[in-house]
Amino acid sequence: MGVKKIIFLILTMGVFTFSAMALEDPASSWQPEFDPSGAEYTYLLSNVSHPDIEGVAVGYRIRDRVWEETDGRLYVDFRPLAQLGGERDVLSKVRLGAVHGMLCSSVAAANLTDTLGLVNLPFVLNSFDRLEAFLGNEELFSKFQSAPERQGVRVLDVTTYGTYGWATRTPVRNLQDARRVNFRIAEAPVNIDVYRAWGLQFTVMPWPDVHQALQTGVITGLDHTPTTTNISRKFDVAKYYTHVPYAQGLYVHLVNERWLNNLPEDIRAVFLRVVEEESALAREKGRLQQEQQIERARENGVEFIELSSEDMQSLVDASKPVFERWAPRIGEEYVEQVRQFLRNK
């Protein structure tokens, strides 16, 4: 084969590779239909997950509505898929103002301030209905919103990526089965204490490492929601899912207060209203999406399993040390107020 032909093939393969990468870029179909270069103000908003998740796609819907309703004065530059770094790194950047906002996973939020660990306490905010009830209680939610103010950050709102459970390579039909599984859990302080209290094997692992770890057997289970597990194709490897609704997976919308307060009053009012309205819509979509993703996973051969009421009660009882450790850090009175309010929701 001649040198010219070899060069031609290399160049052709390079173009094909580049084109394939462009086609596979999940964010490519979410580009704005407007030119943001003339915006007076920019809101740099981060998230680590995939925009096919409704609780993530809200960032793009906020972008488009804010642009339209401020007549192009404010551009929400939304960057999902960890384009701005991992959650721990971005949390630091939000505090400093290098990144203006973040749709932070609830499991990581407690790394900013202990009070945000409230949403990850087991069997508290563990259903869509309980989440809505909490967000609708102005007194309780406002305490949550203001919790990170000492860090120069405020909580604006919350979206969901579903209810937690276990995706596993072998079926988990009871707690005895669960004790044979090595679960991947997030880099999150509350979750670590939950799994210690439950007496289960676990490995703390960054999200990008999970798929290969499942394939190779480094981990044999995954603590996550059906929506995220199916969209990220973890069900390709883990063909069983046990419902363990101990928490809701949330994205907590954090904003740098200095950036927010520097906006003109009229633009700030539009921005806050759009975030509230679109977050509420995203939660409705997230509830429906979980049902859809479970059905799609079933069609692809995933078996969904329910633990017995006795096993679920065992997990509730075993969670007591988590509250003993975290209630003083979050605020014992506040935790009890939330639990009492949600008890019959």
Side-chain angles (χ1 to χ4, degrees):
M1 185 181 295
V3 173
K4 289 184 178 179
K5 190 169 184 179
I6 292 173
I7 293 173
F8 172 78
L9 287 172
I10 291 172
L11 290 173
T12 302
M13 290 173 65
V15 171
F16 174 79
T17 302
F18 177 82
S19 300
M21 288 174 65
L23 288 171
E24 292 171 1
D25 178 7
S28 63
S29 61
W30 297 88
Q31 295 304 308
E33 296 181 358
F34 54 83
D35 179 6
S37 60
E40 294 178 57
Y41 305 94
T42 298
Y43 179 52
L44 185 57
L45 177 64
S46 176
N47 177 263
V48 298
S49 299
H50 197 292
D52 279 351
I53 299 170
E54 292 290 355
V56 178
V58 68
Y60 288 125
R61 291 193 290 270
I62 290 170
R63 176 196 68 187
D64 294 344
R65 276 196 60 193
V66 165
W67 179 263
E68 180 180 354
E69 296 186 30
T70 64
D71 296 321
R73 296 180 66 193
L74 173 58
Y75 172 51
V76 176
D77 185 4
F78 182 45
R79 305 287 188 89
L81 296 164
Q83 295 177 57
L84 299 178
E87 290 196 303
R88 282 177 175 268
D89 291 338
V90 175
L91 279 170
S92 297
K93 294 173 184 176
V94 172
R95 282 197 297 263
L96 295 171
V99 175
H100 307 130
M102 177 184 185
L103 297 176
C104 179
S105 69
S106 50
V107 291
N111 289 303
L112 182 63
T113 183
D114 288 340
T115 302
L116 298 187
L118 170 79
V119 294
N120 232 41
L121 290 175
F123 306 104
V124 179
L125 287 164
N126 60 326
S127 71
F128 294 106
D129 290 340
R130 283 186 165 190
L131 173 61
E132 289 303 318
F134 172 69
L135 297 177
N137 185 311
E138 185 176 352
E139 178 184 359
L140 295 179
F141 185 48
S142 64
K143 290 181 181 179
F144 185 81
Q145 288 181 293
S146 62
E149 284 183 346
R150 290 186 179 179
Q151 305 282 345
V153 176
R154 183 169 181 80
V155 174
L156 294 185
D157 219 305
V158 170
T159 60
T160 178
Y161 53 94
T163 308
Y164 268 86
W166 298 330
T168 54
R169 291 176 48 145
T170 57
V172 172
R173 306 188 190 281
N174 50 56
L175 292 183
Q176 186 175 350
D177 291 339
R179 293 186 182 98
R180 291 191 284 266
V181 176
N182 182 18
F183 293 98
R184 177 269 177 182
I185 67 171
E187 300 170 286
V190 180
N191 286 65
I192 291 171
D193 286 339
V194 168
Y195 274 75
R196 282 175 177 161
W198 287 349
L200 299 178
Q201 299 179 67
F202 66 91
T203 298
V204 177
M205 182 179 292
W207 180 245
D209 299 341
V210 171
H211 199 86
Q212 184 176 2
L214 268 176
Q215 287 179 315
T216 58
V218 172
I219 57 173
T220 51
L222 171 65
D223 172 81
H224 226 299
T225 70
T227 294
T228 300
T229 305
N230 197 46
I231 286 175
S232 65
R233 303 194 65 173
K234 302 300 182 290
F235 280 140
D236 290 356
V237 182
K239 289 291 188 180
Y240 302 91
Y241 191 89
T242 306
H243 292 287
V244 190
Y246 73 94
Q248 278 271 303
L250 307 177
Y251 294 114
V252 181
H253 193 149
L254 305 171
V255 64
N256 179 277
E257 282 204 296
R258 184 171 64 253
W259 176 88
L260 183 64
N261 292 334
N262 284 337
L263 283 178
E265 186 176 346
D266 59 335
I267 294 180
R268 182 168 62 248
V270 171
F271 171 71
L272 293 175
R273 174 174 55 78
V274 169
V275 168
E276 181 179 2
E277 292 173 357
E278 290 298 329
S279 297
L281 179 59
R283 292 194 300 273
E284 293 178 14
K285 289 176 175 285
R287 185 192 293 241
L288 178 61
Q289 185 175 43
Q290 174 161 294
E291 297 173 4
Q292 294 170 336
Q293 293 299 322
I294 288 174
E295 186 57 35
R296 290 176 187 175
R298 279 201 177 103
E299 291 171 356
N300 290 324
V302 177
E303 180 183 352
F304 285 82
I305 302 165
E306 302 283 347
L307 286 180
S308 69
S309 57
E310 292 79 12
D311 278 344
M312 287 302 301
Q313 187 60 49
S314 293
L315 292 177
V316 172
D317 295 341
S319 301
K320 184 179 178 181
V322 182
F323 289 90
E324 291 174 348
R325 178 174 174 81
W326 279 92
R329 297 166 66 172
I330 294 170
E332 292 192 47
E333 182 178 353
Y334 181 45
V335 170
E336 187 56 28
Q337 286 176 338
V338 173
R339 295 181 78 182
Q340 287 293 337
F341 173 68
L342 296 176
R343 195 170 300 277
N344 298 315
K345 303 296 183 183

